């Protein structure tokens, strides 16, 4: 059932668990995530980055595929189709394409401009019954071979953005996208605690969910995180299972080269990763 992310996140915040956002890249990813959410009776958010949207030939294709698949698979748990790290233009495209949720990432703008653009997009999203996520304090990761350590957001800036009526707020607390470097200092719970105190009931979003140890995830949820984004970990699981299938020569046995067979182990591996995360985040049975 395609819905905005607002209600599922408000429930998660009140119930002290988190809803997983799993990024999609193609049909296999989408199917694996939807089936796992249904099996575990868990709400779920399908994240679409601008790059993945382009790869899938555009947001209209993505929205049409997700809507049809949700219906054909008989998915009854709440599912939000969400733009991940959207630009100003990307947000409008997704509003038009029929997404149910958007993220406007204005973290690279000066705070005044981030506030002005977020404010405008909050109105546009809500007018269309969609939820909106905003970001303060850029979330690092690997860019052109340089690995950033992850910034900590200014709690007062978080409050200014939260006060605009966004439905969820991503704030940097030392988290980064992709794999964490060996010398990573960990999440800054002090920053998270200050942000939570100033933003109250606002569901907070933890990006860069791949590779964060389980105890840190649990503590972050205790301190107000209600949405956790995972992308790289599903990609690694898929690649690993696919490599094993090919290295075992299974693509050369019978019709093992058929994409429905070749992509099956990777798809099952995505399901296993999503299940593990949903159990850790506490969203199982919460649909
Ligand atoms: P990872 O790729 O590190 O899991 O991060 C995902 C994410 O935050 C998407 O916005």
């Amino acid at each position: 059932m395609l819905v905005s992310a607002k209600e599922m996140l408000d429930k998660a915040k009140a119930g002290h668990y988190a809803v997983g956002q799993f990024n999609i890249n193609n049909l296999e990813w989408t199917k694996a995530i939807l089936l796992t959410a249904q099996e575990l009776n868990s709400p779920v958010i399908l994240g679409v980055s601008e790059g993945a949207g382009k790869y899938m030939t555009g947001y209209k294709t993505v929205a049409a595929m997700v809507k049809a698949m949700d219906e054909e698979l008989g998915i009854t748990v709440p599912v939000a189709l969400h733009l991940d790290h959207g630009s100003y233009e990307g947000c409008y495209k997704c509003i038009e394409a029929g997404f149910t949720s958007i993220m406007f990432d204005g973290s690279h703008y000066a705070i005044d401009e981030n506030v002005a653009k977020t404010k405008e997009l909050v109105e546009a999203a809500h007018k269309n019954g969609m939820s909106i996520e905003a970001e303060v304090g850029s979330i690092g990761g690997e860019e052109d071979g340089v690995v950033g350590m992850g910034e900590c957001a200014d709690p007062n800036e978080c409050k200014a953005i939260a006060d605009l009526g966004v439905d969820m707020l991503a704030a940097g607390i030392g988290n980064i996208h992709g794999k964490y470097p060996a010398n990573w200092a960990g999440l800054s719970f002090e920053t998270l605690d200050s942000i939570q105190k100033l933003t109250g009931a606002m569901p907070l979003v933890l990006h860069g969910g791949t590779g964060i140890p389980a105890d840190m995830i649990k503590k972050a949820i205790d301190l107000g995180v209600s949405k956790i984004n995972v992308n790289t970990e599903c990609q690694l699981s898929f690649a690993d299972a696919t490599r094993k299938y090919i290295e075992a020569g299974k693509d050369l046995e019978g019709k093992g080269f058929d994409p429905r067979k070749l992509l099956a182990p990777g798809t099952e591996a995505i399901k296993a990763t999503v299940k593990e995360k949903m159990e850790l985040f506490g969203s199982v049975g919460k649909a």
Side-chain angles (χ1 to χ4, degrees):
M1 185 180 45
L2 273 187
V3 294
S4 113
K6 179 163 175 55
E7 197 183 321
M8 65 171 90
L9 291 179
D10 285 348
K11 267 173 77 180
K13 178 89 182 189
H16 305 287
Y17 60 92
V19 177
Q21 171 190 306
F22 300 94
N23 285 48
I24 60 170
N25 293 287
N26 62 14
L27 182 143
E28 278 73 21
W29 248 258
T30 313
K31 186 174 163 185
I33 298 163
L34 287 179
L35 286 173
T36 308
Q38 183 70 23
E39 187 194 319
L40 299 181
N41 196 30
S42 168
V44 75
I45 297 167
L46 301 177
V48 181
S49 68
E50 296 218 329
K54 207 167 153 188
Y55 174 78
M56 290 183 272
T57 76
Y59 300 125
K60 284 185 190 162
T61 309
V62 178
M65 174 183 73
V66 170
K67 270 184 199 161
M69 202 185 283
D70 183 73
E71 200 183 307
E72 303 254 37
L73 290 175
I75 304 295
T76 54
V77 297
V79 177
L81 176 59
H82 182 72
L83 172 66
D84 189 28
H85 292 285
S87 61
Y88 178 81
E89 297 77 21
C91 284
Y92 278 109
K93 281 188 186 161
C94 287
I95 290 174
E96 206 187 306
F99 275 47
T100 62
S101 190
I102 50 172
M103 172 188 190
F104 170 58
D105 181 355
S107 62
H108 52 285
Y109 293 115
I111 185 69
D112 290 351
E113 192 166 1
N114 190 0
V115 166
K117 287 192 160 68
T118 301
K119 192 171 174 200
E120 182 193 318
L121 284 161
V122 164
E123 217 174 283
H126 288 172
K127 211 161 67 188
N128 287 278
M130 302 164 75
S131 47
I132 177 165
E133 173 179 348
E135 178 171 327
V136 183
S138 153
I139 291 146
E142 201 195 307
E143 252 183 354
D144 295 331
V146 179
V147 179
M149 280 303 180
E151 225 176 84
C152 281
D154 173 344
N156 291 311
E157 290 186 359
C158 290
K159 178 159 171 48
I161 296 276
D163 286 348
L164 300 174
V166 300
D167 304 293
M168 55 200 124
L169 180 70
I173 54 165
N175 45 324
I176 58 170
H177 294 118
K179 290 182 182 174
Y180 284 84
N183 60 344
W184 178 52
L187 296 176
S188 168
F189 293 114
E190 206 185 326
T191 308
L192 178 56
D193 195 38
S194 316
I195 295 169
Q196 153 67 32
K197 283 191 176 121
L198 284 178
T199 56
M202 172 68 55
L204 300 175
V205 184
L206 182 63
H207 282 246
T210 296
I212 299 179
D215 58 329
M216 284 196 202
I217 293 279
K218 290 210 181 293
K219 191 161 178 195
I221 294 173
D222 280 348
L223 289 172
V225 163
S226 332
K227 171 174 178 277
I228 302 177
N229 293 5
V230 177
N231 183 19
T232 308
E233 208 156 322
C234 291
Q235 299 183 348
L236 291 169
S237 309
F238 178 87
D240 190 45
T242 307
R243 185 182 338 99
K244 283 191 179 125
Y245 179 87
I246 292 176
E247 279 178 358
K250 296 208 172 134
D251 55 320
L252 303 172
E253 288 168 14
K255 279 252 200 181
F257 55 82
D258 180 330
R260 284 168 289 180
K261 289 194 173 131
L262 182 66
L263 300 178
T267 307
E268 288 306 312
I270 296 172
K271 282 188 189 167
T273 299
V274 171
K275 181 169 192 266
E276 187 192 311
K277 297 296 170 192
M278 285 178 165
E279 283 165 353
L280 174 63
F281 301 165
S283 69
V284 173
K286 298 288 181 7

